[in-house]
Amino acid sequence: MRKAFQAAAGLGHPRARPALAGALPRRNPASACGTSTDSLVSRFCPEKTRFKDHAVPNASWGPDMLRLHRELVEKRRSGWVKVPSFRSNREHIRGLRLPPGLAAPPDASDCRLFTRCIEEEGQGFEYVIFFHPAEKKAICLFQPGPYLEGPPGFAHGGSLAAMMDETFSKIAYLAGEGLLTLSFNIRFKKPIPVGSLAVLNVVVEKIEDQKVYVSCIAQSRDQQTVYAKSSAVFLQRQLEEESSP
Amino acid sequence: MRKAFQAAAGLGHPRARPALAGALPRRNPASACGTSTDSLVSRFCPEKTRFKDHAVPNASWGPDMLRLHRELVEKRRSGWVKVPSFRSNREHIRGLRLPPGLAAPPDASDCRLFTRCIEEEGQGFEYVIFFHPAEKKAICLFQPGPYLEGPPGFAHGGSLAAMMDETFSKIAYLAGEGLLTLSFNIRFKKPIPVGSLAVLNVVVEKIEDQKVYVSCIAQSRDQQTVYAKSSAVFLQRQLEEESSP
């Protein structure tokens, strides 16, 4: 099951057919959408995996990002869980079947999760996501590199939107099997200087009528600067397990 | 002036300080925000430039994208203008000064416009934008590559959001000097298969109270599939010209 990890991450973004809602079988009818958050976390956030986890410190991470990362790792006992991040979703959905209409094409050439599209350390998306299952909140430490530029010296607004979207999708899935993004809204306040740290605080606002509502505020480390605020709605869907061959 | 091109593109995303509105001098008080669309187009969309234009056909473009591109190029006489696309904004804002609070840091290391962050043909963002100044509408032909993946086989929703944001920013600037994004909203309908063509139809809905309102619908070539709908609001701001040294 561990190898199934980032299905949550990748499938949060799909933006697929709302009309398909409810078409899949439930594994455990006791919870709102079949599976408890603890079960999802243990399944998708293994401490050890045979796949390379890109959400680990490297030489490009600034001192603030390193410090906050260390603090959150040390808070494991108080409930914070690091969400691993792999290069692609393709390897990680083995053992799980995609919902109808989202079946992956047979071609499995060199694919990458969008937010891991740039391999050079520090040039693209440097980020790590921590989730607190009990409080249904998350923190993403995001350090945009110079390949994410919009105006000279600042991150492209689209890169921040993508980072929020990626974080939302993981958290919406882990917190309530929010699998398909229905909508995403963002209000920009100030641009993020390239190479600096943005701290994204994500909250699961509510889970209602098979929808997961999430919100985010992106700020500077000292919380003195708000970069943007956003919200999104996900439709609950289960990943269907493959039947044994 | 030609080298000043993509200031519009890059600076559309900035998401900077709304509070700064009105602080810059107007070059031509006759128009809503100082400069006519025709003047902006001739300035930022030169037919020839010494910089490499990435919005040109390459071997990765599919037949539909090539055909639509050719059709739009041939419609030049009926008012369609191709918007060039360069690797970075840094070279192109020479001769223009950024608004206060958006001054670029002196470091000019290897930077790239986010939507040109992946150099390998066909792997990342393949796109070209055409603008119709008289009708204040635009078309972006977008072919997401496998490095933009979310769910296996489909483009990450964040990549579509980024592509829309980039297109909006160019058009909002050319149509009405919409420079700072205030908000962006997107509703997802169906995911875009990696490697296929999405046609983004953008319309400038209105220009009012120093704001430019734009909307977009992303569809398949045959318009039978709607991928997403979005809208955004930009604040009008002028790029200030450098005084001669």
Side-chain angles (χ1 to χ4, degrees):
Chain A
M1 265 315 148
R2 293 196 164 182
K3 66 186 173 186
F5 161 69
Q6 187 146 337
L11 292 171
H13 318 260
R15 313 61 188 71
R17 316 180 182 188
L20 293 175
L24 290 181
R26 302 290 179 225
R27 276 175 301 216
N28 173 8
S31 76
C33 198
T35 314
S36 74
T37 294
D38 286 345
S39 159
L40 290 169
V41 167
S42 66
R43 180 175 187 171
F44 292 112
C45 302
E47 286 189 29
K48 290 180 181 174
T49 162
R50 67 185 176 91
F51 297 108
K52 181 178 176 184
D53 180 6
H54 290 266
V56 294
N58 64 49
S60 78
W61 286 24
D64 279 348
M65 183 141 165
L66 286 169
R67 194 176 312 120
L68 270 180
H69 172 265
R70 193 169 52 243
E71 285 176 20
L72 285 161
V73 167
E74 289 168 357
K75 284 183 180 172
R76 195 167 47 188
R77 284 178 186 275
S78 61
W80 285 98
V81 177
K82 201 197 88 165
V83 182
S85 175
F86 305 114
R87 173 184 156 127
S88 166
N89 292 314
R90 287 181 176 263
E91 291 298 321
H92 311 306
I93 60 163
R94 287 180 189 164
L96 292 173
R97 198 191 315 234
L98 295 172
L102 274 184
D107 172 51
S109 57
D110 184 21
C111 294
R112 298 182 192 170
L113 180 68
F114 177 42
T115 49
R116 295 294 176 199
C117 67
I118 297 162
E119 292 190 315
E120 298 95 321
E121 281 183 4
Q123 299 298 91
F125 290 91
E126 292 292 342
Y127 70 95
V128 56
I129 298 169
F130 290 86
F131 177 49
H132 197 296
E135 297 182 12
K136 291 201 171 13
K137 64 183 184 183
I139 293 175
C140 172
L141 308 177
F142 173 42
Q143 182 184 289
Y147 289 4
L148 308 190
E149 208 175 55
F154 296 93
H156 195 295
S159 72
L160 176 58
M163 189 70 261
M164 287 173 161
D165 183 46
E166 173 66 14
T167 308
F168 277 157
S169 72
K170 280 196 172 69
I171 302 315
Y173 187 75
L174 293 172
E177 294 185 282
L179 190 63
L180 309 176
T181 320
L182 296 176
S183 63
F184 174 83
N185 305 315
I186 182 166
R187 283 168 291 143
F188 295 100
K189 305 294 183 183
K190 287 186 181 175
I192 304 173
V194 161
S196 67
L197 173 67
V199 180
L200 280 56
N201 278 284
V202 171
V203 176
V204 178
E205 299 286 352
K206 62 178 178 179
I207 300 176
E208 203 173 86
D209 295 335
Q210 288 202 313
K211 295 189 184 76
V212 182
Y213 296 79
V214 286
S215 69
C216 175
I217 180 169
Q219 295 170 292
S220 59
R221 165 76 173 102
D222 61 8
Q223 300 186 337
Q224 294 303 299
T225 304
V226 175
Y227 297 127
K229 294 180 179 179
S230 64
S231 61
V233 182
F234 287 74
L235 189 66
Q236 288 186 313
R237 295 294 305 279
Q238 279 190 318
L239 293 171
E240 196 175 22
E241 287 184 83
E242 291 272 330
S243 53
S244 300
Chain B
M1 264 315 146
R2 293 196 164 182
K3 66 187 172 186
F5 163 68
Q6 187 149 334
L11 292 171
H13 319 261
R15 309 66 188 69
R17 315 179 183 191
L20 293 175
L24 289 182
R26 301 290 179 224
R27 275 176 302 218
N28 173 8
S31 75
C33 195
T35 313
S36 73
T37 294
D38 287 345
S39 160
L40 290 168
V41 168
S42 65
R43 182 175 185 169
F44 292 112
C45 302
E47 285 190 28
K48 290 181 180 173
T49 162
R50 68 185 176 91
F51 297 108
K52 182 180 176 184
D53 180 6
H54 290 265
V56 293
N58 64 47
S60 78
W61 287 23
D64 279 349
M65 182 142 166
L66 287 169
R67 193 177 311 119
L68 270 180
H69 173 264
R70 192 169 54 242
E71 285 176 20
L72 286 161
V73 167
E74 289 169 357
K75 283 183 180 173
R76 194 167 49 189
R77 286 179 184 273
S78 62
W80 285 98
V81 177
K82 200 197 89 166
V83 183
S85 175
F86 305 113
R87 173 184 157 126
S88 165
N89 291 314
R90 288 182 176 260
E91 292 297 321
H92 312 305
I93 61 162
R94 286 181 189 163
L96 293 173
R97 198 190 316 237
L98 294 172
L102 274 184
D107 171 50
S109 57
D110 184 20
C111 293
R112 298 182 193 170
L113 179 69
F114 177 42
T115 47
R116 294 295 176 198
C117 67
I118 297 162
E119 292 191 314
E120 297 96 320
E121 282 182 3
Q123 298 299 92
F125 290 91
E126 292 292 342
Y127 69 95
V128 55
I129 298 170
F130 289 86
F131 177 50
H132 197 296
E135 297 183 10
K136 291 202 173 8
K137 65 183 184 183
I139 293 175
C140 172
L141 309 178
F142 173 41
Q143 182 184 289
Y147 289 3
L148 308 190
E149 208 176 54
F154 295 93
H156 195 294
S159 72
L160 176 58
M163 189 70 261
M164 287 174 162
D165 183 45
E166 173 66 12
T167 308
F168 277 157
S169 73
K170 280 198 172 67
I171 302 314
Y173 188 74
L174 293 173
E177 293 185 284
L179 191 62
L180 311 176
T181 319
L182 296 176
S183 63
F184 173 84
N185 305 316
I186 182 166
R187 282 169 291 142
F188 295 100
K189 305 294 182 182
K190 286 187 181 175
I192 304 173
V194 161
S196 67
L197 173 67
V199 180
L200 280 55
N201 278 284
V202 171
V203 176
V204 178
E205 299 286 352
K206 62 179 178 178
I207 300 176
E208 202 173 87
D209 296 333
Q210 289 203 312
K211 295 189 184 75
V212 181
Y213 296 79
V214 285
S215 69
C216 175
I217 180 169
Q219 295 170 293
S220 58
R221 166 75 173 102
D222 61 7
Q223 300 186 337
Q224 294 302 299
T225 304
V226 174
Y227 296 126
K229 294 179 179 181
S230 64
S231 61
V233 182
F234 287 73
L235 189 66
Q236 288 186 312
R237 293 294 306 278
Q238 278 189 320
L239 293 171
E240 194 176 21
E241 286 184 84
E242 290 272 330
S243 52
S244 300

CSV table of all heavy atoms in Angstrom, one decimal, chain A residues 25-55:
chain,number,residue,atom,x,y,z
A,25,PRO,N,-17.8,2.5,-5.3
A,25,PRO,CA,-18.1,1.8,-4.1
A,25,PRO,C,-17.4,2.4,-2.9
A,25,PRO,O,-16.4,3.0,-3.0
A,25,PRO,CB,-17.7,0.4,-4.3
A,25,PRO,CG,-16.6,0.6,-5.3
A,25,PRO,CD,-16.9,1.7,-6.2
A,26,ARG,N,-18.0,2.3,-1.7
A,26,ARG,CA,-17.4,2.8,-0.5
A,26,ARG,C,-16.8,1.7,0.2
A,26,ARG,O,-17.4,0.6,0.3
A,26,ARG,CB,-18.5,3.4,0.4
A,26,ARG,CG,-19.3,4.6,-0.2
A,26,ARG,CD,-18.4,5.8,-0.3
A,26,ARG,NE,-19.1,6.9,-0.9
A,26,ARG,CZ,-18.5,7.6,-1.9
A,26,ARG,NH1,-17.3,7.4,-2.3
A,26,ARG,NH2,-19.2,8.6,-2.4
A,27,ARG,N,-15.6,1.9,0.7
A,27,ARG,CA,-14.9,0.8,1.4
A,27,ARG,C,-15.4,0.7,2.9
A,27,ARG,O,-15.4,-0.3,3.5
A,27,ARG,CB,-13.4,1.1,1.4
A,27,ARG,CG,-12.8,0.6,0.2
A,27,ARG,CD,-11.3,0.9,0.2
A,27,ARG,NE,-11.2,2.4,0.3
A,27,ARG,CZ,-10.3,3.1,-0.3
A,27,ARG,NH1,-9.4,2.5,-1.1
A,27,ARG,NH2,-10.2,4.4,-0.2
A,28,ASN,N,-15.7,1.8,3.5
A,28,ASN,CA,-16.1,1.9,4.9
A,28,ASN,C,-17.2,2.9,5.1
A,28,ASN,O,-16.9,4.1,5.3
A,28,ASN,CB,-14.8,2.2,5.7
A,28,ASN,CG,-15.2,2.4,7.2
A,28,ASN,OD1,-16.3,2.1,7.6
A,28,ASN,ND2,-14.2,2.8,7.9
A,29,PRO,N,-18.4,2.5,5.0
A,29,PRO,CA,-19.5,3.4,5.1
A,29,PRO,C,-19.6,4.2,6.4
A,29,PRO,O,-20.4,5.1,6.6
A,29,PRO,CB,-20.7,2.5,4.8
A,29,PRO,CG,-20.3,1.2,5.2
A,29,PRO,CD,-18.8,1.1,4.9
A,30,ALA,N,-18.8,3.8,7.4
A,30,ALA,CA,-18.9,4.4,8.7
A,30,ALA,C,-18.4,5.9,8.7
A,30,ALA,O,-18.9,6.7,9.4
A,30,ALA,CB,-18.0,3.7,9.7
A,31,SER,N,-17.5,6.2,7.8
A,31,SER,CA,-17.0,7.6,7.8
A,31,SER,C,-17.7,8.4,6.6
A,31,SER,O,-18.4,7.8,5.8
A,31,SER,CB,-15.5,7.7,7.6
A,31,SER,OG,-15.2,7.4,6.2
A,32,ALA,N,-17.5,9.7,6.6
A,32,ALA,CA,-18.3,10.5,5.6
A,32,ALA,C,-18.1,10.0,4.2
A,32,ALA,O,-19.0,10.0,3.4
A,32,ALA,CB,-17.8,11.9,5.7
A,33,CYS,N,-16.8,9.6,3.9
A,33,CYS,CA,-16.6,9.2,2.5
A,33,CYS,C,-15.9,7.9,2.5
A,33,CYS,O,-15.2,7.5,1.6
A,33,CYS,CB,-15.8,10.2,1.8
A,33,CYS,SG,-15.9,10.0,0.0
A,34,GLY,N,-16.0,7.1,3.6
A,34,GLY,CA,-15.5,5.8,3.5
A,34,GLY,C,-14.2,5.5,4.3
A,34,GLY,O,-14.0,4.4,4.7
A,35,THR,N,-13.3,6.4,4.4
A,35,THR,CA,-12.0,6.1,5.0
A,35,THR,C,-11.6,7.2,6.0
A,35,THR,O,-11.8,8.4,5.7
A,35,THR,CB,-10.9,6.0,3.9
A,35,THR,OG1,-11.4,5.2,2.9
A,35,THR,CG2,-9.7,5.4,4.5
A,36,SER,N,-11.1,6.8,7.2
A,36,SER,CA,-10.8,7.8,8.2
A,36,SER,C,-9.5,8.5,7.8
A,36,SER,O,-8.7,8.0,7.0
A,36,SER,CB,-10.6,7.1,9.5
A,36,SER,OG,-9.3,6.4,9.5
A,37,THR,N,-9.3,9.8,8.3
A,37,THR,CA,-8.1,10.5,8.1
A,37,THR,C,-6.9,9.8,8.5
A,37,THR,O,-5.9,9.7,7.8
A,37,THR,CB,-8.2,11.9,8.8
A,37,THR,OG1,-9.3,12.6,8.2
A,37,THR,CG2,-6.9,12.7,8.6
A,38,ASP,N,-7.0,9.2,9.7
A,38,ASP,CA,-5.8,8.4,10.2
A,38,ASP,C,-5.4,7.3,9.2
A,38,ASP,O,-4.2,7.1,9.0
A,38,ASP,CB,-6.1,7.8,11.6
A,38,ASP,CG,-6.1,8.9,12.6
A,38,ASP,OD1,-5.6,10.0,12.3
A,38,ASP,OD2,-6.6,8.7,13.7
A,39,SER,N,-6.4,6.7,8.7
A,39,SER,CA,-6.1,5.6,7.8
A,39,SER,C,-5.5,6.1,6.5
A,39,SER,O,-4.5,5.6,5.9
A,39,SER,CB,-7.4,4.8,7.4
A,39,SER,OG,-7.3,4.1,6.2
A,40,LEU,N,-6.0,7.3,6.0
A,40,LEU,CA,-5.4,7.9,4.8
A,40,LEU,C,-4.0,8.3,5.0
A,40,LEU,O,-3.1,8.2,4.2
A,40,LEU,CB,-6.3,9.0,4.3
A,40,LEU,CG,-7.7,8.6,3.8
A,40,LEU,CD1,-8.6,9.9,3.6
A,40,LEU,CD2,-7.5,7.9,2.4
A,41,VAL,N,-3.8,8.9,6.2
A,41,VAL,CA,-2.4,9.4,6.5
A,41,VAL,C,-1.4,8.3,6.6
A,41,VAL,O,-0.3,8.4,6.0
A,41,VAL,CB,-2.4,10.3,7.8
A,41,VAL,CG1,-1.0,10.5,8.3
A,41,VAL,CG2,-3.2,11.6,7.6
A,42,SER,N,-1.8,7.2,7.3
A,42,SER,CA,-0.8,6.1,7.4
A,42,SER,C,-0.6,5.5,6.0
A,42,SER,O,0.5,4.9,5.8
A,42,SER,CB,-1.4,5.1,8.4
A,42,SER,OG,-2.5,4.5,7.9
A,43,ARG,N,-1.6,5.6,5.2
A,43,ARG,CA,-1.4,5.0,3.8
A,43,ARG,C,-0.6,5.8,2.9
A,43,ARG,O,0.2,5.3,2.1
A,43,ARG,CB,-2.8,4.8,3.3
A,43,ARG,CG,-2.9,4.2,1.9
A,43,ARG,CD,-4.4,4.0,1.6
A,43,ARG,NE,-4.6,3.3,0.4
A,43,ARG,CZ,-5.8,2.8,0.0
A,43,ARG,NH1,-6.9,3.0,0.8
A,43,ARG,NH2,-6.0,2.2,-1.1
A,44,PHE,N,-0.8,7.1,2.9
A,44,PHE,CA,-0.2,8.0,1.9
A,44,PHE,C,1.0,8.8,2.5
A,44,PHE,O,1.7,9.5,1.7
A,44,PHE,CB,-1.3,9.0,1.4
A,44,PHE,CG,-2.3,8.3,0.5
A,44,PHE,CD1,-3.6,8.2,0.9
A,44,PHE,CD2,-1.9,7.7,-0.7
A,44,PHE,CE1,-4.6,7.6,0.2
A,44,PHE,CE2,-2.9,7.0,-1.4
A,44,PHE,CZ,-4.2,7.0,-1.0
A,45,CYS,N,1.2,8.8,3.7
A,45,CYS,CA,2.3,9.5,4.3
A,45,CYS,C,3.3,8.6,5.1
A,45,CYS,O,3.5,8.8,6.3
A,45,CYS,CB,1.9,10.7,5.2
A,45,CYS,SG,0.8,11.8,4.4
A,46,PRO,N,3.8,7.6,4.4
A,46,PRO,CA,4.7,6.7,5.1
A,46,PRO,C,6.0,7.4,5.5
A,46,PRO,O,6.5,8.2,4.8
A,46,PRO,CB,5.0,5.6,4.1
A,46,PRO,CG,4.8,6.3,2.8
A,46,PRO,CD,3.7,7.3,3.0
A,47,GLU,N,6.5,7.0,6.6
A,47,GLU,CA,7.8,7.6,7.0
A,47,GLU,C,8.9,7.2,6.1
A,47,GLU,O,9.9,7.9,5.9
A,47,GLU,CB,8.1,7.4,8.5
A,47,GLU,CG,7.2,8.2,9.4
A,47,GLU,CD,7.7,8.1,10.9
A,47,GLU,OE1,8.9,7.9,11.1
A,47,GLU,OE2,6.8,8.2,11.7
A,48,LYS,N,8.8,5.9,5.7
A,48,LYS,CA,9.8,5.4,4.8
A,48,LYS,C,9.2,4.9,3.5
A,48,LYS,O,8.1,4.4,3.5
A,48,LYS,CB,10.6,4.3,5.4
A,48,LYS,CG,11.5,4.7,6.6
A,48,LYS,CD,12.2,3.6,7.2
A,48,LYS,CE,13.1,4.0,8.3
A,48,LYS,NZ,13.8,2.9,9.1
A,49,THR,N,9.9,5.2,2.4
A,49,THR,CA,9.4,4.7,1.1
A,49,THR,C,10.5,4.4,0.2
A,49,THR,O,11.6,5.0,0.4
A,49,THR,CB,8.5,5.8,0.5
A,49,THR,OG1,8.3,5.5,-0.9
A,49,THR,CG2,9.0,7.2,0.6
A,50,ARG,N,10.3,3.6,-0.8
A,50,ARG,CA,11.4,3.3,-1.7
A,50,ARG,C,11.6,4.3,-2.8
A,50,ARG,O,12.5,4.3,-3.6
A,50,ARG,CB,11.3,1.9,-2.3
A,50,ARG,CG,10.1,1.7,-3.2
A,50,ARG,CD,9.9,0.2,-3.6
A,50,ARG,NE,8.8,0.0,-4.4
A,50,ARG,CZ,8.8,0.1,-5.8
A,50,ARG,NH1,9.9,0.4,-6.4
A,50,ARG,NH2,7.7,-0.2,-6.4
A,51,PHE,N,10.6,5.3,-2.9
A,51,PHE,CA,10.7,6.3,-3.9
A,51,PHE,C,11.4,7.5,-3.3
A,51,PHE,O,11.4,7.8,-2.1
A,51,PHE,CB,9.3,6.7,-4.3
A,51,PHE,CG,8.5,5.6,-5.0
A,51,PHE,CD1,7.5,5.0,-4.3
A,51,PHE,CD2,8.9,5.1,-6.2
A,51,PHE,CE1,6.8,3.9,-4.9
A,51,PHE,CE2,8.2,4.1,-6.8
A,51,PHE,CZ,7.2,3.5,-6.2
A,52,LYS,N,12.1,8.3,-4.2
A,52,LYS,CA,12.8,9.4,-3.7
A,52,LYS,C,11.8,10.5,-3.3
A,52,LYS,O,10.9,10.9,-4.1
A,52,LYS,CB,13.7,10.0,-4.8
A,52,LYS,CG,14.5,11.2,-4.4
A,52,LYS,CD,15.5,11.7,-5.4
A,52,LYS,CE,16.1,13.0,-4.9
A,52,LYS,NZ,17.0,13.6,-5.9
A,53,ASP,N,12.0,11.0,-2.1
A,53,ASP,CA,11.2,12.1,-1.6
A,53,ASP,C,11.9,13.4,-1.8
A,53,ASP,O,13.0,13.6,-1.4
A,53,ASP,CB,11.0,11.9,-0.1
A,53,ASP,CG,10.1,13.0,0.6
A,53,ASP,OD1,9.6,13.8,-0.2
A,53,ASP,OD2,10.0,13.0,1.8
A,54,HIS,N,11.2,14.3,-2.6
A,54,HIS,CA,11.9,15.6,-3.0
A,54,HIS,C,11.6,16.6,-1.9
A,54,HIS,O,12.2,17.7,-2.0
A,54,HIS,CB,11.3,16.0,-4.3
A,54,HIS,CG,11.8,15.2,-5.5
A,54,HIS,ND1,12.9,15.5,-6.2
A,54,HIS,CD2,11.4,14.0,-6.0
A,54,HIS,CE1,13.1,14.6,-7.1
A,54,HIS,NE2,12.2,13.7,-7.0
A,55,ALA,N,10.8,16.4,-0.9
A,55,ALA,CA,10.5,17.4,0.1
A,55,ALA,C,11.5,17.2,1.2
A,55,ALA,O,11.1,17.1,2.4
A,55,ALA,CB,9.1,17.2,0.6
